Amino acid sequence: MKRVVITGAGTVNPLGHSVAETCAAMRDGFCGIGPLEIRDVARLQIRIGGQVKGFEAEGRFTRQQITLYDRFTQFTLVAAREAIAQSGLTFEGKLAARAGVVLGTAGGGVSTWDDNYRAVYAEGKNRVHPFVVPRLMNNAAAAHVSMEWNLKGPSYSVSSACASSNHAMAQAAMMIRSGMVLAMVTGGSDSMLCFGGVKAWEGLRVMSRDACRPFSANRDGMVQGEGAGIFVFEEYEHARARGAEILCEVAGFAMSSDASDIVMPSREGAARAMAGALADARLDSADVGYINAHGTGTAANDKTECAAVADVFGAHAERLMISSTKSMHGHLIGGTGAVELLACIMALRDGVIAPTIGYEQPDPDCALDVVPNVARDANVTVALSNAFAFGGMNAVIALRKI
Amino acid sequence: MSVKDQVIAIIAEQALLDPQDVTLDSTLESLGIDSMGVVESIFAIEEAFDITVPFNANAPQESDFDITSVASIIDGIERLRVQQAPA
């Protein structure tokens, strides 16, 4: 079985338009959540979100590209450019045929749906732009990455709500491990911060009106964000042979299903995913220094996740650090696991643990070291990234320093 | 239909019960309505009475709307209808 390493990373998210900006913001405990600036916000009850600011399509893309790129695709392409540039790979010849793209997204082109439903239903128009379908389809972002960088191997999108990008990255790692491919561009993206997207979430009554405060006793819900995290996963010997800078190893991963409830999380399902990732990586639970939590800030997730961590790690649960960076960037839905993987890479490479900001009151049901409010220096050799989605679909990735 | 009868009809539908089996002192819990059922019931109440119910499923006890029993829900609706009546 081949080993898998990460040789490139890129992102656009509410904390920054690059990995460097994002990590700096995470170190500073910067909050990227603020008042939503979207059309018809006055008709929403939930008026905050982690919006990507200062990101205008005009100037970045041509007019023709803009007609084809929904915002989730735009984020993906900018993040992919950063990741592929860092990797130093050029996809030509045999490498092109043995490299592909697998990306997670929950919603795909939600704002394209929203704009065009508005046009035909609210504004009574009887005609839409010819590229509505290729713009909104869930695989649009993956398709444009494959076209832009000549990736000719397996490419597709994966959709498992809030675990989409972790499932996608697990898929990418499996393909490299098996020898099917040499490199994969992977991660995920979502952009649902439009009127219809926020209205749908509002209906579920799990959104906070003022802040995302994971693990804090006074938490009152999640806050939605938007953005993309994109990585280059590469077969270890291939990366080493060309002298590439290796960010870390994808040591293992696991996926599990709760098979119980469409929205309520399961302690047992989450625990099986974490324990499975450790077993897959042949790691001992005591090796784990940091967990980037799913940590949505809902009453149900945070206590269930902490209980699952206690089940898997036993006494070591008290010693490891676990933080939720959603407190800073919000919940990026299908893109969230990818952006959160950056916090794991920062822990391994820079020895900096991103904090859980907005932490105000201890909760006895979340009595772990949640790295409250202030980043911390620590030497970590193994980090886990958790994603537990609606539908009871869980995917956990284990990264190791190399 | 009175507010009481409408609320009982909504709750009974959610609990898959006959309206006769839902009384003023029934609690949602005793009727077997789970957290998703509560959210659906509140949506049905908002639609039926054209009101907005301040309810966050993360902190039901802190919401300014008491969902403990059928009677407390009716009280809450009466109060919101006064507060939210068009000027």
Side-chain angles (χ1 to χ4, degrees):
Chain A
M1 199 172 66
K2 313 280 189 191
R3 290 170 71 184
V4 183
V5 293
I6 302 180
T7 54
T11 188
V12 175
N13 72 77
L15 298 178
H17 297 178
S18 67
V19 172
E21 282 177 33
T22 302
C23 290
M26 285 182 177
R27 271 195 295 271
D28 293 345
F30 174 79
C31 185
I33 293 167
L36 281 174
E37 293 169 13
I38 57 173
R39 193 170 172 184
D40 290 337
V41 70
R43 285 180 57 211
L44 293 168
Q45 296 197 25
I46 303 302
R47 295 177 189 167
I48 60 166
Q51 260 184 308
V52 172
K53 296 285 172 70
F55 186 95
E56 280 75 39
E58 291 75 15
R60 289 177 186 274
F61 303 107
T62 65
R63 194 193 69 82
Q64 198 56 22
Q65 286 171 325
I66 291 170
T67 61
L68 281 165
Y69 298 170
D70 182 271
R71 197 165 159 88
F72 93 105
T73 299
Q74 295 174 18
F75 293 154
T76 303
L77 288 167
V78 171
R81 181 168 301 282
E82 183 185 8
I84 293 169
Q86 183 179 29
S87 77
L89 286 172
T90 306
F91 299 99
E92 292 168 339
K94 282 183 183 162
L95 177 61
R98 292 191 63 203
V101 196
V102 56
L103 299 180
T105 186
V110 175
S111 51
T112 299
W113 283 108
D114 202 54
D115 289 345
N116 287 282
Y117 277 150
R118 187 194 299 274
V120 294
Y121 293 141
E123 295 164 4
K125 290 189 178 162
N126 285 324
R127 195 180 297 119
V128 296
H129 190 279
F131 299 159
V132 170
V133 168
R135 199 174 199 268
L136 62 76
M137 61 193 193
N138 270 33
N139 62 333
H144 287 295
V145 171
S146 84
M147 290 186 276
E148 179 93 19
W149 284 281
N150 194 41
L151 296 147
K152 294 183 165 174
S155 294
Y156 53 96
S157 54
V158 169
S159 195
S160 54
C162 311
S164 298
S165 47
N166 273 19
H167 276 109
M169 293 188 286
Q171 286 273 289
M174 276 192 280
M175 286 192 268
I176 294 171
R177 270 186 177 181
S178 73
M180 178 195 281
V181 293
L182 290 168
M184 290 297 286
V185 176
T186 187
S189 174
D190 251 318
S191 176
M192 298 193 190
L193 294 177
C194 55
F195 179 76
V198 178
K199 186 53 94 177
W201 277 100
E202 188 177 290
L204 203 54
R205 311 268 180 166
V206 294
M207 309 293 283
S208 173
R209 287 167 193 245
D210 52 8
C212 177
R213 304 181 198 84
F215 309 118
S216 191
N218 63 343
R219 66 187 180 276
D220 64 356
M222 51 181 277
V223 173
Q224 211 183 136
E226 63 176 355
I230 303 291
F231 301 92
V232 175
F233 281 17
E234 188 173 349
E235 193 270 315
Y236 172 64
E237 295 297 342
H238 187 269
R240 224 172 54 140
R242 67 186 185 90
E245 185 191 359
I246 292 172
L247 303 182
C248 64
E249 179 174 11
V250 182
F253 49 83
M255 302 175 262
S256 72
S257 304
D258 299 341
S260 60
D261 191 278
I262 194 69
V263 292
M264 292 303 285
S266 146
R267 173 177 180 169
E268 186 268 338
R272 271 193 298 124
M274 283 185 276
L278 293 176
D280 182 57
R282 295 189 174 84
L283 288 165
D284 188 77
S285 59
D287 297 332
V288 177
Y290 172 62
I291 300 174
N292 185 284
H294 191 55
T296 56
T298 62
N301 175 81
D302 295 2
K303 70 176 179 200
T304 306
E305 184 166 13
C306 288
V309 168
D311 288 347
V312 173
F313 292 90
H316 185 63
E318 312 274 319
R319 291 189 288 273
L320 57 76
M321 294 166 281
I322 174 168
S323 70
S324 169
T325 52
K326 287 188 179 74
S327 56
M328 295 182 270
H329 50 65
H331 194 330
L332 274 56
I333 316 294
T336 213
V339 170
E340 291 164 24
L341 203 70
L342 294 170
C344 293
I345 295 174
M346 180 169 81
L348 298 175
R349 280 180 65 80
D350 306 334
V352 176
I353 308 299
T356 304
I357 68 164
Y359 186 82
E360 292 171 354
Q361 292 173 19
D363 178 350
D365 286 335
C366 304
L368 299 175
D369 178 359
V370 300
V371 197
N373 299 318
V374 181
R376 198 180 300 164
D377 293 329
N379 185 21
V380 170
T381 53
V382 174
L384 292 191
S385 185
N386 285 348
F388 308 132
F390 278 0
M393 297 177 178
N394 313 303
V396 174
I397 297 190
L399 298 184
R400 176 167 47 204
K401 192 185 268 192
I402 200 161
Chain B
M1 222 184 345
S2 69
V3 172
K4 176 188 161 192
D5 290 344
Q6 276 179 280
V7 170
I8 285 178
I10 288 167
I11 301 294
E13 188 187 357
Q14 193 61 238
L16 305 174
L17 291 170
D18 192 286
Q20 289 166 358
D21 297 330
V22 178
T23 61
L24 280 177
D25 57 2
S26 299
T27 64
L28 299 191
E29 202 180 353
S30 72
L31 299 172
I33 295 179
D34 66 7
S35 61
M36 282 178 82
V38 168
V39 169
E40 268 200 279
S41 303
I42 288 186
F43 169 68
I45 286 166
E46 289 182 319
E47 289 286 285
F49 299 102
D50 194 21
I51 53 174
T52 298
V53 177
F55 179 81
N56 181 334
N58 290 287
Q61 65 288 351
E62 286 162 29
S63 299
D64 192 21
F65 188 82
D66 183 0
I67 53 160
T68 316
S69 67
V70 173
S72 72
I73 290 171
I74 294 169
D75 288 346
I77 293 169
E78 301 280 18
R79 201 160 38 79
L80 288 174
R81 288 179 94 185
V82 173
Q83 284 171 9
Q84 296 177 11

